[in-house]
């Protein structure tokens, strides 16, 4: 990532951290006209800490950060969908409780992405959901 682009969108913020923090940066980069590309030939090594959190804690953090990023950048119906999705699981509900404490800071940073970017993001999310459905249907005993 170009340093000037990263700093131009404010870098990582104190609201969303460790688990999805790059999503808000990517949304702001795209909104500011930067092109984001996927290069499958690149190999990136991520060396996570050996001091790992539990899977439930990780899922709660992801739910928290998805919701807070939505509050900061997505239309309210998308925020509502994230709320409903998180409320369906124990880790998601824990994420909601944590998000509630950070909500005032997220609202101060709210700047909704442009309509064209929201449309592209929804297209991507729909594609991902369809891809997951197809993969699940290909599993043995998936009915």
């Amino acid at each position: 990532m170009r340093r000037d682009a990263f700093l131009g969108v404010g870098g990582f913020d104190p609201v969303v951290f460790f688990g999805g923090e790059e999503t808000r940066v990517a949304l702001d980069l795209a909104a500011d006209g930067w092109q984001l590309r996927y290069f499958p030939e690149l190999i990136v090594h991520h060396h996570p800490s050996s001091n790992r959190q539990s899977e439930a804690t990780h899922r709660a953090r992801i739910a928290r950060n998805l919701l807070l990023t939505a509050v900061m950048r997505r239309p309210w119906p998308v925020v509502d969908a994230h709320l409903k999705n998180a409320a369906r699981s124990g880790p998601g509900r824990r994420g909601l409780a944590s998000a509630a404490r950070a909500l005032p800071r997220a609202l101060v940073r709210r700047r909704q992405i442009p309509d064209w970017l929201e449309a592209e993001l929804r297209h991507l999310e729909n594609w991902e959901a369809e891809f997951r459905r197809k993969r699940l249907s290909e599993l043995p005993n998936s009915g």
Side-chain angles (χ1 to χ4, degrees):
M1 178 182 303
R2 292 181 57 151
R3 183 177 189 273
D4 58 332
F6 179 76
L7 295 176
V9 297
F12 295 127
D13 62 58
V15 177
V16 177
F17 54 89
F18 302 123
E21 69 276 11
E22 64 280 342
T23 301
R24 198 271 314 150
V25 172
L27 290 173
D28 288 355
L29 286 169
D32 284 358
W34 289 97
Q35 292 184 351
L36 307 173
R37 298 278 189 238
Y38 171 68
F39 292 97
E41 64 273 11
L42 291 179
I43 298 173
V44 178
H45 296 278
H46 178 234
H47 301 283
S49 168
S50 59
N51 184 14
R52 304 296 295 187
Q53 55 191 215
S54 72
E55 182 63 23
T57 298
H58 175 72
R59 289 178 53 214
R61 169 92 36 100
I62 294 298
R64 171 200 187 275
N65 290 346
L66 281 171
L67 177 60
L68 291 172
T69 297
V71 166
M72 289 190 289
R73 296 297 183 263
R74 307 286 303 272
W76 292 115
V78 175
V79 174
D80 184 54
H82 280 287
L83 279 166
K84 290 175 181 172
N85 188 47
R88 292 185 183 117
S89 71
R93 288 187 293 276
R94 283 183 40 220
L96 288 177
S98 178
R101 293 187 293 275
L103 191 58
R105 292 184 296 146
L107 288 169
V108 167
R109 290 170 173 78
R110 182 166 172 78
R111 187 180 84 229
Q112 190 171 319
I113 59 175
D115 291 342
W116 65 265
L117 181 55
E118 180 61 34
E120 287 187 15
L121 195 54
R122 286 187 186 217
H123 178 75
L124 176 62
E125 291 168 343
N126 290 336
W127 180 87
E128 286 178 319
E130 182 61 25
F131 180 79
R132 284 191 191 111
R133 275 191 294 277
K134 285 181 181 178
R135 294 222 26 220
L136 286 174
S137 70
E138 294 170 359
L139 294 174
N141 301 320
S142 62

